[in-house]
Amino acid sequence: MNSSEEIAVSGMSAGRSAMRMGPAELVQAAAMARRFYLEGKSKIQIAEEFGVSRFKVARVLETALERDLVRIEIRVPAELDAERSDALRARYGLRHAVVVESPAEAEESPDPENLGEVAADLLGELVNEGDVLGLAWGRSTIHMAAALDRLPPCTVVQLTGVYDAGTAERGSVEAVRRAAQVAGGDAHPIYAPMLLPDAATAAALRNQTGIARAFEHFDKVTVACVSIGSWEPGISTVHDMLSDEERAHYASLGVAAEMSAHLFDAEGRRVGRDLGERCITVKADQLRRIPEVVAIAGGQRKGPAIDAVLRSGLVTSLVTDTSAADYLMTAGPAPKSALNRSDPDGV
């Protein structure tokens, strides 16, 4: 007898007096439950075997559950928190929310590396053959690309410039190449910094052949993967690229979060739009039109930033950790559904 059957039999014995079922009824109920839950037989097949109606089988199975004759356990891998995932999905109206257990030694650290591993598995589910996958700059997306081991044939395009052109080969450019290699599809990297000194320089770079070719794919992206940064040192690459005066200026506008060089206040409204003119990045309106935008971000320190970006309507799915999820579940009034892709600014 296997362990599942042992649980069922112990349930029979323990519940006998309360259930007021005779031994024949108990044995038959246990046998029906075993056929249905362990052997995968249909109610019609069970009815034919025992010579009763399928309605009788349904009543017996229902009683078995109600009276603890059968116990059903739902198990997911230990690192996934199914309860928090479902609660977070419902609160923000997300298409998918996957919450990963925070590493005990790194609860305060942003974007634990295991987020990238789980996000890689999620992309394996979401991307279909012929899709165009867009990857934005971010440590979490780099970790995700490194963990990829399966993708259907698709095109992969870089959605933003890089933090430091000197590290392109080890950063988002390599992430795009890696994803395209796994998928067996075309890669469209961007060999340019994310932030330029002025709008004119950025415009000139956008017109360069390789960069322009990547930009042509932005409106074709069907699944995008992005990172989220808090407006503080070391947790936002854009914040770290700006001068002290520029940081102070944008902080005065109420910046709470940054995603792909787009800035958001605590309510998810975009602020500091002039910064985008100096950046090599996908436009916010283009992100809003992408059917599936997956954000990878975690850590308690990033909680407010994640909340702000989710309220923007630009993200449809989230991979995060328990530390950030606990903050998000109590972060002010419940927002509108993230799947309502309207702009909070009303423009």
Side-chain angles (χ1 to χ4, degrees):
M1 183 178 292
N2 63 35
S3 60
S4 296
E5 291 172 329
E6 290 172 357
I7 291 173
V9 172
S10 66
M12 288 192 315
S13 302
R16 178 177 177 183
S17 60
M19 294 168 62
R20 299 185 184 279
M21 295 174 69
E25 292 175 302
L26 285 170
V27 170
Q28 185 183 71
M32 288 184 176
R34 192 171 293 123
R35 302 287 194 281
F36 187 74
Y37 292 108
L38 299 182
E39 299 175 14
K41 291 187 176 181
S42 69
K43 294 174 183 176
I44 293 176
Q45 290 173 313
I46 297 170
E48 290 175 351
E49 178 182 350
F50 287 89
V52 298
S53 71
R54 61 187 177 89
F55 302 105
K56 170 71 178 293
V57 174
R59 286 196 299 272
V60 170
L61 293 175
E62 184 178 351
T63 299
L65 282 173
E66 290 176 348
R67 302 192 178 183
D68 211 24
L69 180 63
V70 172
R71 298 178 184 178
I72 297 176
E73 292 185 3
I74 299 173
R75 295 181 178 179
V76 296
E79 68 271 16
L80 299 183
D81 192 310
E83 185 175 349
R84 283 185 174 93
S85 297
D86 187 54
L88 198 60
R89 179 201 56 77
R91 173 174 168 80
Y92 285 90
L94 295 164
R95 186 170 291 120
H96 303 284
V98 182
V99 178
V100 180
E101 191 69 31
S102 301
E105 70 280 5
E107 286 191 358
E108 298 302 317
S109 300
D111 302 336
E113 288 192 22
N114 60 341
L115 294 185
E117 297 170 4
V118 173
D121 287 340
L122 179 61
L123 281 190
E125 293 182 58
L126 299 181
V127 176
N128 296 307
E129 183 174 352
D131 276 349
V132 177
L133 172 62
L135 300 181
W137 160 263
R139 285 180 289 268
S140 56
T141 52
I142 293 170
H143 291 152
M144 179 276 301
L148 281 172
D149 58 12
R150 64 184 177 99
L151 274 180
C154 65
T155 298
V156 185
V157 59
Q158 192 170 323
L159 296 179
T160 64
V162 299
Y163 172 50
D164 181 350
T167 63
E169 294 297 324
R170 302 189 301 276
S172 48
V173 169
E174 178 56 31
V176 169
R177 285 179 170 174
R178 164 67 181 166
Q181 180 183 34
V182 172
D186 294 334
H188 295 278
I190 294 177
Y191 294 94
M194 182 189 294
L195 180 66
L196 282 303
D198 52 63
T201 304
L205 274 178
R206 292 189 199 104
N207 290 326
Q208 288 189 358
T209 303
I211 298 174
R213 188 175 296 119
F215 268 61
E216 289 172 358
H217 283 80
F218 286 1
D219 287 328
K220 304 173 186 176
V221 173
T222 50
V223 179
C225 192
V226 300
S227 296
I228 296 173
S230 301
W231 199 244
E232 56 180 302
I235 311 186
S236 166
T237 53
V238 173
H239 177 281
D240 292 347
M241 286 189 285
L242 295 172
S243 68
D244 289 341
E245 289 184 356
E246 289 170 326
R247 292 169 189 157
H249 165 66
Y250 291 117
S252 72
L253 300 180
V255 175
E258 171 265 317
M259 180 182 70
S260 302
H262 301 294
L263 309 181
F264 305 87
D265 68 10
E267 299 302 319
R269 296 181 293 256
R270 288 179 59 212
V271 296
R273 298 190 184 207
D274 60 304
L275 182 65
E277 298 174 5
R278 297 169 48 194
C279 293
I280 303 297
T281 186
V282 62
K283 294 179 180 178
D285 288 343
Q286 290 173 311
L287 278 173
R288 200 179 303 280
R289 291 194 294 270
I290 296 174
E292 185 74 78
V293 179
V294 180
I296 312 171
Q300 190 174 34
R301 291 173 64 188
K302 276 198 176 181
I306 298 170
D307 177 62
V309 172
L310 291 182
R311 292 174 185 272
S312 74
L314 295 179
V315 169
T316 60
S317 297
L318 174 69
V319 178
T320 190
D321 66 347
T322 53
S323 181
D326 287 343
Y327 172 88
L328 293 170
M329 290 306 299
T330 58
K336 67 182 181 183
S337 171
L339 299 182
N340 176 359
R341 307 295 293 281
S342 61
D343 191 328
D345 297 340
V347 294

